[in-house]
Amino acid sequence: QVQLLESGGGLGQAGGSLSLSCTASGLTFRDYAGGWFRQAPGKELEFLGRISWIASSTYYRDSVKCRFTLSRDNAKNTVYLQMHSLKPGDTAVYYCAAARSSSALASQSPDYWGRGTQVTVSS
């Protein structure tokens, strides 16, 4: 059974940093592109970015570019999202996802989803 488990969420302060981890079990993460999404209350699911399976390529949506950084450690079957210069507008449930193709992440149709972790940013 494949599971993606996010961790590292919680309460952050505006201007501060938080780091999220997504560890996979039941699959070999290096065979998949990893992506992160978020959903704020009352808003649609938002694709934040993705990292290719060998970490040679990353993509970020404009609103988080230069503030968020994706990385991965395939030996640990883990993808990371480092968030800096946090804003109250970053408050959301954050989901990681895995997909065989990067395009599947962009179209919000990954092969696997995590359950999500809450991030709350106070002003």
Side-chain angles (χ1 to χ4, degrees):
Q1 183 179 1
V2 174
Q3 284 190 322
L4 300 180
L5 182 62
E6 301 96 338
S7 61
L11 182 63
Q13 291 189 329
S17 300
L18 281 175
S19 293
L20 304 182
S21 300
C22 173
T23 300
S25 60
L27 63 76
T28 302
F29 220 154
R30 66 173 180 267
D31 294 335
Y32 293 79
W36 286 91
F37 298 77
R38 71 184 179 188
Q39 188 165 28
K43 295 189 176 180
E44 294 185 350
L45 187 67
E46 186 175 61
F47 174 49
L48 298 177
R50 58 100 177 119
I51 183 166
S52 64
W53 66 280
I54 57 172
S56 64
S57 170
T58 53
Y59 164 84
Y60 302 91
R61 70 179 299 117
D62 287 345
S63 61
V64 303
K65 196 178 295 183
C66 298
R67 297 194 301 121
F68 290 9
T69 302
L70 288 159
S71 61
R72 67 190 302 160
D73 185 338
N74 289 332
K76 294 183 178 180
N77 242 19
T78 300
V79 172
Y80 304 95
L81 178 67
Q82 292 179 299
M83 304 182 290
H84 304 288
S85 302
L86 288 168
K87 304 176 181 180
D90 294 322
T91 296
V93 177
Y94 284 69
Y95 300 90
C96 73
R100 290 281 190 179
S101 71
S102 295
S103 60
L105 289 168
S107 63
Q108 300 188 2
S109 301
D111 298 292
Y112 304 102
W113 289 98
R115 291 189 174 183
T117 185
Q118 175 70 46
V119 170
T120 303
V121 181
S122 62
S123 58

CSV table of all heavy atoms in Angstrom, one decimal, residues 47-48 59-67:
chain,number,residue,atom,x,y,z
A,47,PHE,N,-1.7,24.4,-7.0
A,47,PHE,CA,-0.5,23.7,-7.3
A,47,PHE,C,0.7,24.7,-7.0
A,47,PHE,O,0.8,25.7,-7.6
A,47,PHE,CB,-0.4,23.3,-8.8
A,47,PHE,CG,0.8,22.6,-9.2
A,47,PHE,CD1,1.4,21.6,-8.5
A,47,PHE,CD2,1.4,23.1,-10.4
A,47,PHE,CE1,2.6,21.0,-8.9
A,47,PHE,CE2,2.6,22.5,-10.9
A,47,PHE,CZ,3.2,21.5,-10.1
A,48,LEU,N,1.6,24.3,-6.1
A,48,LEU,CA,2.7,25.1,-5.7
A,48,LEU,C,4.0,24.9,-6.5
A,48,LEU,O,4.7,25.9,-6.8
A,48,LEU,CB,3.0,24.9,-4.2
A,48,LEU,CG,1.9,25.2,-3.3
A,48,LEU,CD1,2.4,24.9,-1.9
A,48,LEU,CD2,1.5,26.7,-3.4
A,59,TYR,N,9.8,23.5,-10.7
A,59,TYR,CA,8.9,24.5,-11.2
A,59,TYR,C,8.2,25.0,-10.0
A,59,TYR,O,7.8,24.3,-9.1
A,59,TYR,CB,7.9,23.9,-12.2
A,59,TYR,CG,6.7,24.8,-12.4
A,59,TYR,CD1,6.8,25.9,-13.3
A,59,TYR,CD2,5.5,24.6,-11.6
A,59,TYR,CE1,5.7,26.7,-13.5
A,59,TYR,CE2,4.5,25.5,-11.8
A,59,TYR,CZ,4.5,26.5,-12.7
A,59,TYR,OH,3.5,27.4,-12.9
A,60,TYR,N,8.0,26.4,-9.9
A,60,TYR,CA,7.2,27.0,-8.9
A,60,TYR,C,6.2,27.9,-9.4
A,60,TYR,O,6.4,28.6,-10.4
A,60,TYR,CB,8.1,27.8,-8.0
A,60,TYR,CG,9.3,27.0,-7.3
A,60,TYR,CD1,10.5,26.9,-8.0
A,60,TYR,CD2,9.1,26.4,-6.1
A,60,TYR,CE1,11.5,26.2,-7.4
A,60,TYR,CE2,10.2,25.7,-5.5
A,60,TYR,CZ,11.4,25.6,-6.2
A,60,TYR,OH,12.4,24.9,-5.6
A,61,ARG,N,5.0,28.0,-8.8
A,61,ARG,CA,4.1,29.0,-9.2
A,61,ARG,C,4.6,30.4,-8.8
A,61,ARG,O,5.4,30.5,-7.8
A,61,ARG,CB,2.7,28.8,-8.7
A,61,ARG,CG,2.5,29.0,-7.2
A,61,ARG,CD,1.1,28.7,-6.7
A,61,ARG,NE,0.1,29.6,-7.4
A,61,ARG,CZ,-0.8,29.2,-8.2
A,61,ARG,NH1,-0.9,27.9,-8.4
A,61,ARG,NH2,-1.7,30.0,-8.7
A,62,ASP,N,4.2,31.4,-9.5
A,62,ASP,CA,4.8,32.7,-9.3
A,62,ASP,C,4.6,33.2,-7.9
A,62,ASP,O,5.5,33.9,-7.3
A,62,ASP,CB,4.1,33.7,-10.3
A,62,ASP,CG,4.6,33.5,-11.7
A,62,ASP,OD1,5.6,32.8,-11.9
A,62,ASP,OD2,4.0,34.1,-12.6
A,63,SER,N,3.5,32.9,-7.2
A,63,SER,CA,3.3,33.5,-5.9
A,63,SER,C,4.2,33.0,-4.8
A,63,SER,O,4.3,33.6,-3.8
A,63,SER,CB,1.8,33.2,-5.5
A,63,SER,OG,1.5,31.9,-5.4
A,64,VAL,N,4.9,31.9,-5.1
A,64,VAL,CA,5.8,31.3,-4.1
A,64,VAL,C,7.2,31.3,-4.6
A,64,VAL,O,8.1,30.9,-3.8
A,64,VAL,CB,5.3,29.9,-3.6
A,64,VAL,CG1,3.9,30.0,-3.1
A,64,VAL,CG2,5.5,28.9,-4.7
A,65,LYS,N,7.4,31.6,-5.8
A,65,LYS,CA,8.8,31.6,-6.4
A,65,LYS,C,9.7,32.5,-5.6
A,65,LYS,O,9.2,33.6,-5.2
A,65,LYS,CB,8.7,32.0,-7.8
A,65,LYS,CG,10.0,31.7,-8.6
A,65,LYS,CD,9.8,32.2,-10.1
A,65,LYS,CE,8.7,31.4,-10.8
A,65,LYS,NZ,8.6,31.8,-12.2
A,66,CYS,N,10.9,32.1,-5.3
A,66,CYS,CA,11.9,32.9,-4.5
A,66,CYS,C,11.6,32.8,-3.0
A,66,CYS,O,12.4,33.3,-2.2
A,66,CYS,CB,11.9,34.4,-4.9
A,66,CYS,SG,12.4,34.6,-6.6
A,67,ARG,N,10.4,32.3,-2.6
A,67,ARG,CA,10.2,32.1,-1.1
A,67,ARG,C,10.2,30.6,-0.8
A,67,ARG,O,10.5,30.3,0.4
A,67,ARG,CB,8.8,32.7,-0.8
A,67,ARG,CG,8.7,34.2,-0.9
A,67,ARG,CD,7.5,34.8,-0.2
A,67,ARG,NE,6.3,34.2,-0.7
A,67,ARG,CZ,5.4,33.5,0.1
A,67,ARG,NH1,5.7,33.4,1.4
A,67,ARG,NH2,4.3,33.1,-0.4
